[in-house]
């Protein structure tokens, strides 16, 4: 099983600042990496797939990068609606696995 | 508009059974693979099971293999999860999630979830 490790667990950021979230895979997942956003009481929302492609309707302030084992989600200028938990997910191998999440909170 | 609506959750004793359903609308259900993903209270996401559009390919997480059975009825636009021999650690919100059509094995639409609580 591929273990996905996200860091940090919690990120405190002021509105308007940049947020950088990391996701590391225990073995290469090529570019088969997705990012999701989840707000309290809601289902997750797909943000990024293929490590760097924004899903439909996702604002340009969200960007993804990386390949192999190291991935980054960057939110260029945090808006109030971006404070949430973010998960990475690999879909290169079965079983499909998620990271444990990074909570982006207001500083 | 794509909609996925789960039902069937509730309180069940350890060792008991429960059947979850997911009603799909707003897309051609029979053309899409589907998944169940769960989230224990206050915890992260865990993929549970996958079923291809024709039901020809099915996968399970090791944690549920042999106890859970995924199925679908394309005529009824419905996805199911039969859960047997339930354990306390199966307590979670269970989401049905549509497989992303362009790459597969990731999830572009999710239901609102149904809570399963396993407790005596």
């Amino acid at each position: 099983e591929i273990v996905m490790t996200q860091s940090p667990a919690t990120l405190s950021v002021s509105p308007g600042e940049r947020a950088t979230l990391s996701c590391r895979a225990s073995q290469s997942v090529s570019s088969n990496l997705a990012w999701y956003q989840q707000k309290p009481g809601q289902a997750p929302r797909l943000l990024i797939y293929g490590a760097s492609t924004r899903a439909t309707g996702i604002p340009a302030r969200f960007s993804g990068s990386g390949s192999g084992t190291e991935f980054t989600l960057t939110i260029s200028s945090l808006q109030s609606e971006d404070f949430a938990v973010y998960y990475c997910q690999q879909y290169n191998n079965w079983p499909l696995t998620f990271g444990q999440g990074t909570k982006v909170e207001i500083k | 508009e794509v909609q996925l609506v789960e039902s069937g959750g509730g309180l069940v004793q350890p060792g008991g059974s429960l059947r979850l359903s997911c009603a799909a609308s707003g897309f051609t259900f029979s053309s899409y693979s589907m998944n169940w993903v769960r989230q224990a209270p206050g915890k992260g996401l865990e993929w549970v099971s996958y079923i291809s559009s024709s039901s020809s390919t099915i996968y399970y997480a090791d944690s549920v293999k042999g106890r859970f059975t995924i199925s679908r009825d394309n005529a009824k636009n419905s996805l199911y999860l039969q859960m047997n021999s339930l354990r306390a650690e199966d307590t979670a919100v269970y989401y049905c999630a549509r497989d992303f059509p362009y790459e597969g094995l990731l999830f572009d639409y999710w239901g609102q979830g149904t809570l399963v609580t396993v407790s005596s």
Side-chain angles (χ1 to χ4, degrees):
Chain A
E1 170 176 322
I2 296 177
V3 177
M4 306 301 292
T5 303
Q6 292 185 241
S7 60
T10 304
L11 188 60
S12 297
V13 185
S14 298
E17 289 188 341
R18 173 187 296 259
T20 303
L21 290 66
S22 295
C23 176
R24 174 177 292 178
S26 61
Q27 64 188 76
S28 176
V29 298
S30 186
S31 294
N32 297 316
L33 191 285
W35 290 95
Y36 300 86
Q37 176 194 68
Q38 188 178 34
K39 297 179 181 179
Q42 296 184 16
R45 177 174 70 145
L46 177 65
L47 297 177
I48 300 283
Y49 63 93
S52 61
T53 303
R54 280 189 303 277
T56 302
I58 301 304
R61 64 180 182 273
F62 290 92
S63 63
S65 63
S67 66
T69 62
E70 300 284 344
F71 301 89
T72 300
L73 175 70
T74 302
I75 312 171
S76 60
S77 176
L78 271 158
Q79 306 298 302
S80 57
E81 61 266 30
D82 300 335
F83 292 96
V85 179
Y86 293 83
Y87 294 94
C88 61
Q89 178 231 331
Q90 69 81 19
Y91 51 97
N92 195 65
N93 290 75
W94 297 100
L96 309 178
T97 50
F98 291 89
Q100 80 281 14
T102 291
K103 181 180 181 180
V104 178
E105 65 177 24
I106 301 174
K107 186 174 182 179
Chain B
E1 178 194 5
V2 172
Q3 282 200 317
L4 299 169
V5 180
E6 301 95 337
S7 60
L11 176 63
V12 61
Q13 292 188 337
S17 298
L18 215 52
R19 189 194 196 207
L20 306 183
S21 299
C22 172
S25 60
F27 65 103
T28 305
F29 180 73
S30 60
S31 297
Y32 288 82
S33 299
M34 297 293 295
N35 298 267
W36 288 99
V37 179
R38 69 184 180 183
Q39 186 170 36
K43 302 297 184 182
L45 301 167
E46 180 188 18
W47 168 79
V48 172
S49 185
Y50 162 97
I51 186 168
S52 63
S53 58
S54 64
S55 304
S56 60
T57 302
I58 287 174
Y59 291 104
Y60 297 100
D62 284 347
S63 57
V64 307
K65 200 174 296 182
R67 300 187 299 122
F68 289 13
T69 302
I70 191 172
S71 63
R72 63 191 295 161
D73 185 335
N74 287 341
K76 295 183 177 180
N77 291 339
S78 293
L79 175 72
Y80 307 101
L81 187 67
Q82 176 67 43
M83 304 187 296
N84 299 330
S85 303
L86 282 161
R87 306 167 179 167
E89 54 265 35
D90 296 318
T91 294
V93 173
Y94 285 74
Y95 296 100
C96 69
R98 193 180 80 167
D99 219 56
F100 185 55
Y102 303 109
E103 294 215 355
L105 307 185
L106 63 149
F107 320 113
D108 63 345
Y109 285 94
W110 301 62
Q112 85 289 350
T114 187
L115 176 62
V116 172
T117 303
V118 184
S119 175
S120 54

